Amino acid sequence: MEVFDAVRTALAVRSYEDRPVPEETVRRILEAGRLTASSMNKQPWHFIVVRDRDTLRQLGSLVSTGPYIVQAPMAIAVAVDRNNRFSVSDGSRAVQSMVLTAWSEGVGSNWVGFAGGLENVKPLLGIPDGLDVLTIVTFGYPAQPGGRGRKNRKPLSEIAHRERFGQPIE
Ligand SMILES: Cc1cc2nc3c(=O)[nH]c(=O)nc-3n(C[C@H](O)[C@H](O)[C@H](O)COP(=O)(O)O)c2cc1C
């Protein structure tokens, strides 16, 4: 899949088929995160792959905005260095690499939660104090195919400017 096509068609996927994501695909998703650029190349991230059903069930009840984690075949918790002020940017870029790589292999995903609001999952995953949980990203084959390409986004005319703010791009 072309990069632009992946960006154009990827949507948040919150319900999944009951089949595992192959280990080879999981490795590729992790590699996409690992290879992402970061500020000063600090790579301030850790990726915790969760496939265990009971852990996914517990995550689903701990994270109020992601009850469907329980239904996902796999999730990756992204933990970032608390003392690095670029951690959120760096970690978010790594997530985007992983999301697009997954999508290019037919695997849907969604970002759940945000740094600061996920402290309660740290004991469950054994995440040390020096790290913040940036997000838990769910992954799986979409239960409803069909969603591709239907985006609800602001038009370019509303958010893009030529040379100076307020000058139309067209
Ligand atoms: C920083 C961030 C936090 C998000 N938090 C949640 C969340 O807690 N729960 C959830 O279901 N989706 C969450 N999302 C997913 C967004 O709701 C979703 O990407 C957005 O509505 C666009 O969806 P679409 O690509 O299907 O149009 C989050 C996305 C981002 C980037």
Side-chain angles (χ1 to χ4, degrees):
M1 190 184 275
E2 293 280 339
V3 174
F4 180 70
D5 278 340
V7 173
R8 186 177 61 80
T9 59
L11 291 164
V13 174
R14 297 183 176 90
S15 57
Y16 308 96
E17 283 181 6
D18 184 19
R19 66 168 158 133
V21 178
E23 192 56 38
E24 195 183 304
T25 304
V26 175
R27 289 304 287 244
R28 192 180 289 242
I29 292 168
L30 290 171
E31 274 294 89
R34 184 182 76 85
L35 293 169
T36 299
S38 57
S39 173
M40 294 176 282
N41 203 22
K42 293 277 190 198
Q43 306 161 64
W45 45 54
H46 293 266
F47 309 120
I48 299 117
V49 178
V50 180
R51 286 177 176 281
D52 181 73
R53 287 253 53 90
D54 188 52
T55 310
L56 290 165
R57 186 184 56 73
Q58 291 188 62
L59 286 173
S61 44
L62 285 170
V63 185
S64 61
T65 59
Y68 52 88
I69 297 172
V70 66
Q71 200 243 322
M74 194 267 282
I76 298 180
V78 178
V80 292
D81 289 354
R82 176 168 284 177
N83 294 322
N84 179 330
R85 71 191 180 97
F86 301 107
S87 276
V88 170
S89 306
D90 294 340
S92 300
R93 289 190 76 189
V95 169
Q96 187 71 352
S97 298
M98 293 193 283
V99 163
L100 292 177
T101 298
W103 187 246
S104 74
E105 304 214 355
V107 174
S109 61
N110 193 38
W111 175 306
V112 182
F114 196 67
L118 294 169
E119 278 292 299
N120 61 347
V121 309
K122 286 171 69 171
L124 177 66
L125 302 178
I127 295 172
D129 281 346
L131 301 177
D132 279 331
V133 183
L134 174 62
T135 175
I136 295 163
V137 188
T138 50
F139 291 91
Y141 293 97
Q144 292 103 19
R148 292 189 167 207
R150 277 184 279 131
K151 297 247 189 189
N152 177 16
R153 299 291 189 266
K154 295 177 182 175
L156 212 49
S157 59
E158 204 177 307
I159 48 128
H161 312 260
R162 190 170 305 278
E163 308 296 345
R164 285 176 64 80
F165 188 93
Q167 293 188 166
I169 196 78
E170 276 103 17

